[in-house]
């Protein structure tokens, strides 16, 4: 069983990575859902959206747990990757009873196509072909007017302490590597001497 | 015929010239030539350092359990944990991801282990493929098929298992066929897969249809290395559903720990919730903090 320190430091890294960094932003309540459609493989300009999903979308999801973020991946690389943002339409009055979303869950087999918007919604679309993940985030933040979160002083301190920990780890690893190399050198030397001189240990 | 054969063999043996091996004892008696028999040790230089044999520390009788409260190890409420885990699983197809629970027990390394199955309030997987060992063509077999068994039979089923053609996840045996199953000697194949029916696991039964119904929505668990690990929910479950599942399992585990604890006391030490790709998060037993701004409604529904 791993010690508590090892477990906690690993979880600390996972948590701070989720809470801060690119994508840590609060999306305003008029955004109802986000849909991404891209291929499983990168060929044909699908790398940016994939990276966006892998690296940035978890942070957006952490800070906006109630907004469905659907990812639909397929094998047709020739279809340009597309992001659809569903926004509440201010021109249409809000219906009295909330409508149920007819949105299939995320799929890796192309089964979750972007649905047509509800009558109270309008869509914003982005062609993500050949776009970098950071560009996609910039566009997303600008279009939805999301409020980007800066790390709080405690979080800055946490990041700093994790960096210190990593530095110390690097140093310790170097020291131990040297020690191990020295031991191995001595052992090899002894073995060589034994082979050449016919000395035996027992 | 036999005597002649034997005679011929001896003649053939004589005709083959035996290979002559040089042997010392034939020329010089063994006791007269010690230098050839003995090996000399005096000329070999020994290194005079004794090998220091490090004694391996004996394993403690109990599994090591760290004191969580002393270390102030952070634990989370269920809603906090779900928020983190759902963020890690964003955009993953729900069929590929499950919530899993690890219960660390304070327990001795040897002794009885906890092993059972439970019917979860919200089943993780309900489409198990079940096979039934029972007399072929009987009423029991018909009842089993009606209850949803995929394979039914005795010898045909045994042959399929021997051929490595196992297309089911659960195996139930009727009492009448138990002897035949034991004679078939399938323990070597079925044992390691955990499929071998036994009365203790309640897979050798009288009422096959009822057993199938019970087994269909239930999930097995067992203690390995002092921990019980099992799938506890689907990604689509809401926090309340997950809470019901966790509570059901913990209640049963606690009861089993209390039952077993005459000589080997067992106790629940820590409960860890995780997902297929997410980190493991230690739970503190509460559903949610009232100060949290995240509500359970926000954590349910499509991802």
């Amino acid at each position: 069983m791993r010690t508590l320190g090892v477990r906690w430091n690993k979880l600390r890294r996972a948590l701070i990575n989720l809470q801060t960094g690119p994508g840590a932003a609060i999306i305003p309540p008029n955004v109802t859902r986000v849909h991404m459609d891209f291929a499983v493989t990168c060929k044909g300009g699908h790398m940016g959206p994939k990276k966006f999903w892998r690296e940035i979308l978890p942070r957006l999801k952490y800070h906006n747990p109630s907004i469905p973020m659907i990812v639909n991946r397929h094998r047709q690389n020739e279809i340009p990757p597309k992001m659809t943002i569903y926004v509440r339409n201010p021109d249409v009055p809000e219906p009295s009873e909330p409508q149920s979303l007819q949105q299939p869950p995320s799929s890796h087999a192309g089964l979750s196509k972007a649905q047509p918007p509800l009558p109270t919604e309008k869509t914003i679309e982005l062609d993500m072909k050949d776009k970098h993940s950071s560009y996609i985030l910039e566009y997303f933040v600008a279009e939805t007017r999301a409020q980007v979160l800066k790390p709080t002083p405690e979080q800055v301190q946490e990041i700093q302490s994790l960096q210190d920990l990593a530095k110390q780890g690097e140093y310790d690893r170097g020291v131990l590597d040297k020690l191990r190399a020295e031991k191995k050198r001595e052992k090899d030397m002894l073995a060589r001497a034994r082979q050449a001189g016919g000395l035996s240990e027992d | 015929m036999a005597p002649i054969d034997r005679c011929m063999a001896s003649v053939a043996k004589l005709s083959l010239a035996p290979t002559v091996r040089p042997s010392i004892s034939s020329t010089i008696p063994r006791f007269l030539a010690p230098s050839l028999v003995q090996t000399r040790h005096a000329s070999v230089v020994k290194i005079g350092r004794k090998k220091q044999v490090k004694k391996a520390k004996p394993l403690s009788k109990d599994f090591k359990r760290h004191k969580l409260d002393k270390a102030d190890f952070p634990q989370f409420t269920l809603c906090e944990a779900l928020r983190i885990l759902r963020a890690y699983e964003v955009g993953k197809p729900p069929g590929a991801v499950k919530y899993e629970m690890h219960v660390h027990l304070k327990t001795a390394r040897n002794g009885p282990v906890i092993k059972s199955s439970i019917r979860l309030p919200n089943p993780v997987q309900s489409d198990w493929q079940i096979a039934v060992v029972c007399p072929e063509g009987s009423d029991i077999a018909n009842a089993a098929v009606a209850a949803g068994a995929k394979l039914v039979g005795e010898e045909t089923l045994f042959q399929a298992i021997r051929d490595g053609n196992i297309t089911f996840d659960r195996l139930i045996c009727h009492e009448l066929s138990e002897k035949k199953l034991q004679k078939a000697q399938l323990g070597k194949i079925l044992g390691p897969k955990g499929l071998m029916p036994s009365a203790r696991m309640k897979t050798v039964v009288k009422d096959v249809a009822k057993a199938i119904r019970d087994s269909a929505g239930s999930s097995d668990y067992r203690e390995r290395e002092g921990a019980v690990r099992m799938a506890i929910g689907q990604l689509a479950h809401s926090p309340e559903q997950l809470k019901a599942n966790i509570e059901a399992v913990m209640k049963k585990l606690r009861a089993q720990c209390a039952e077993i604890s005459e000589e080997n006391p067992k106790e629940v030490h820590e409960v860890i919730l995780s997902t297929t790709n997410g980190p493991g998060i230690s739970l503190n037993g509460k559903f949610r903090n009232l100060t949290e701004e995240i509500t359970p409604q926000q954590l349910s529904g499509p991802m």
Side-chain angles (χ1 to χ4, degrees), chain A residues 1 7-8 53 62 65 69 108, chain B residues 74 83 90 93 270 298 303:
Chain A
M1 190 188 184
R7 273 173 64 191
W8 175 222
W53 164 54
Y62 178 79
M69 297 173 186
H108 286 192
Chain B
R83 184 183 178 187
V90 67
E270 192 186 5
Q298 289 175 320
M303 296 273 289

Side-chain angles (χ1 to χ4, degrees), chain B residues 136-206:
Chain B
E136 271 166 65
S138 63
D139 289 347
I140 304 162
N142 295 339
V145 171
K150 200 194 168 201
L151 291 169
V152 169
E154 278 174 349
E155 209 36 62
T156 48
L157 194 55
F158 297 158
Q159 196 51 49
I161 293 168
R162 274 189 215 109
D163 296 343
N165 189 13
I166 297 177
T167 52
F168 49 85
D169 317 305
R170 301 267 166 99
L171 186 60
I172 292 171
C173 178
H174 191 265
E175 277 184 342
L176 293 174
S177 306
E178 196 188 352
K179 274 191 184 159
K180 279 194 181 174
L181 179 70
Q182 274 161 5
K183 264 187 198 166
Q185 303 201 324
L186 296 169
K188 259 192 185 171
I189 306 166
L190 293 175
K193 293 183 197 292
L195 289 171
M196 189 71 190
S198 76
R200 221 180 51 170
M201 287 297 289
K202 289 170 188 164
T203 42
V204 176
V205 289
K206 258 186 194 168

Side-chain angles (χ1 to χ4, degrees), chain A residues 3-161:
Chain A
T3 59
L4 291 181
V6 173
R7 273 173 64 191
W8 175 222
N9 286 336
K10 197 166 182 224
L11 189 59
R12 266 168 82 195
R13 275 189 203 106
L15 283 181
I16 202 76
N17 198 21
L18 201 59
Q19 287 160 352
T20 60
I26 289 177
I27 304 170
N30 68 336
V31 176
T32 50
R33 51 191 156 135
V34 181
H35 184 277
M36 288 178 80
D37 183 287
F38 55 92
V40 173
T41 51
C42 295
K43 199 179 173 191
H46 288 253
M47 189 176 192
K50 186 176 165 184
K51 289 276 175 190
F52 183 85
W53 164 54
R54 283 281 191 203
E55 291 164 6
I56 295 170
L57 208 58
R59 285 193 203 104
L60 276 173
K61 182 70 189 171
Y62 178 79
H63 289 287
N64 310 279
S66 61
I67 296 176
M69 297 173 186
I70 309 296
V71 172
N72 182 39
R73 302 205 293 159
H74 48 73
R75 295 260 163 212
Q76 286 91 46
N77 285 57
E78 59 280 359
I79 300 174
K82 201 172 77 176
M83 176 189 259
T84 318
I85 306 165
Y86 295 77
V87 185
R88 201 161 287 139
N89 197 344
D91 305 333
V92 180
E94 190 73 4
S96 53
E97 60 206 53
Q99 286 161 309
S100 59
L101 279 177
Q102 292 301 319
Q103 178 65 58
S106 300
S107 166
H108 286 192
L111 299 175
S112 179
K113 297 257 159 43
Q115 300 296 308
L118 295 176
T120 54
E121 286 175 334
K122 58 178 184 177
T123 56
I124 304 165
E125 285 178 5
L126 166 64
D127 182 8
M128 298 187 286
K129 191 175 157 117
D130 292 326
K131 298 284 189 293
H132 196 267
S133 59
S134 59
Y135 173 85
I136 299 170
L137 178 65
E138 258 173 47
Y139 181 89
F140 181 85
V141 167
E143 280 299 319
T144 58
R145 305 215 179 106
Q147 177 203 347
V148 176
L149 295 174
K150 274 183 189 158
T152 60
E154 292 94 56
Q155 283 171 343
V156 171
Q157 213 178 349
E158 177 81 351
I159 293 168
Q160 188 61 46
S161 96

Side-chain angles (χ1 to χ4, degrees), chain B residues 5-299:
Chain B
D5 272 356
R6 215 172 289 157
C7 207
M8 292 299 283
S10 63
V11 169
K13 201 176 177 187
L14 280 176
S15 65
L16 286 170
T19 50
V20 181
R21 284 188 183 169
S23 61
I24 300 159
S25 57
S26 62
T27 50
I28 315 163
R30 204 178 175 87
F31 58 88
L32 288 178
S35 64
L36 285 172
V37 180
Q38 274 182 337
T39 51
R40 283 186 63 83
H41 289 286
S43 60
V44 179
V45 181
K46 275 186 190 174
I47 294 175
R49 208 177 53 183
K50 263 188 189 174
K51 240 189 191 176
Q52 280 186 343
V53 183
K54 255 192 187 171
K55 263 191 188 172
K57 239 187 182 177
L59 275 175
S60 67
K61 284 184 180 168
D62 296 343
F63 284 105
K64 181 141 184 143
R65 293 288 176 253
H66 303 283
K67 286 174 188 156
L68 295 171
D69 41 353
K70 196 182 165 195
D72 209 9
F73 191 72
Q75 293 183 309
F76 296 80
T77 63
L78 185 62
C79 282
E80 276 173 339
L82 282 188
R83 184 183 178 187
I84 296 163
L85 292 175
R86 277 169 69 93
Y88 261 91
E89 301 294 353
V90 67
K92 302 263 164 56
V97 174
K98 277 178 197 140
Y99 289 115
E100 52 190 75
M101 186 171 74
H102 308 224
V103 183
H104 289 182
L105 301 170
K106 264 185 200 164
T107 171
R109 279 179 193 274
N110 54 8
V113 293
I114 286 174
K115 182 181 174 188
S116 180
S117 68
I118 187 175
R119 228 183 138 72
L120 292 172
N122 305 292
V124 179
Q125 189 181 352
S126 49
D127 52 342
W128 296 107
Q129 308 282 0
I130 297 169
V132 177
V133 182
C134 60
E136 271 166 65
S138 63
D139 289 347
I140 304 162
N142 295 339
V145 171
K150 200 194 168 201
L151 291 169
V152 169
E154 278 174 349
E155 209 36 62
T156 48
L157 194 55
F158 297 158
Q159 196 51 49
I161 293 168
R162 274 189 215 109
D163 296 343
N165 189 13
I166 297 177
T167 52
F168 49 85
D169 317 305
R170 301 267 166 99
L171 186 60
I172 292 171
C173 178
H174 191 265
E175 277 184 342
L176 293 174
S177 306
E178 196 188 352
K179 274 191 184 159
K180 279 194 181 174
L181 179 70
Q182 274 161 5
K183 264 187 198 166
Q185 303 201 324
L186 296 169
K188 259 192 185 171
I189 306 166
L190 293 175
K193 293 183 197 292
L195 289 171
M196 189 71 190
S198 76
R200 221 180 51 170
M201 287 297 289
K202 289 170 188 164
T203 42
V204 176
V205 289
K206 258 186 194 168
D207 189 350
V208 171
K210 184 172 171 285
I212 289 174
R213 246 177 287 130
D214 287 347
S215 175
S218 76
S219 41
D220 297 335
Y221 62 85
R222 68 171 298 166
E223 175 192 339
R224 288 179 208 271
E225 295 276 314
V228 175
R229 303 181 183 87
M230 66 184 298
I232 193 76
Q234 299 166 3
L235 196 61
H237 280 163
S238 70
E240 284 88 359
Q241 282 175 316
L242 207 58
K243 184 191 164 202
N245 277 2
I246 293 174
E247 270 177 353
V249 172
M250 291 314 295
K251 199 177 157 197
K252 185 155 185 190
L253 273 182
R254 289 224 169 83
Q256 279 181 322
C257 284
E259 225 171 71
I260 230 166
S261 72
E262 280 173 19
E263 284 165 20
N264 308 70
K266 276 185 200 288
E267 209 182 304
V268 173
H269 176 251
E270 192 186 5
V271 182
I272 295 166
L273 187 72
S274 173
T275 53
T276 306
N277 307 301
I281 295 172
S282 190
L283 296 181
N284 65 2
K286 285 181 193 138
F287 183 57
R288 70 182 279 240
N289 278 338
L290 292 175
T291 49
E292 269 172 55
E293 71 268 42
I294 302 297
T295 60
Q297 285 81 37
Q298 289 175 320
L299 292 170

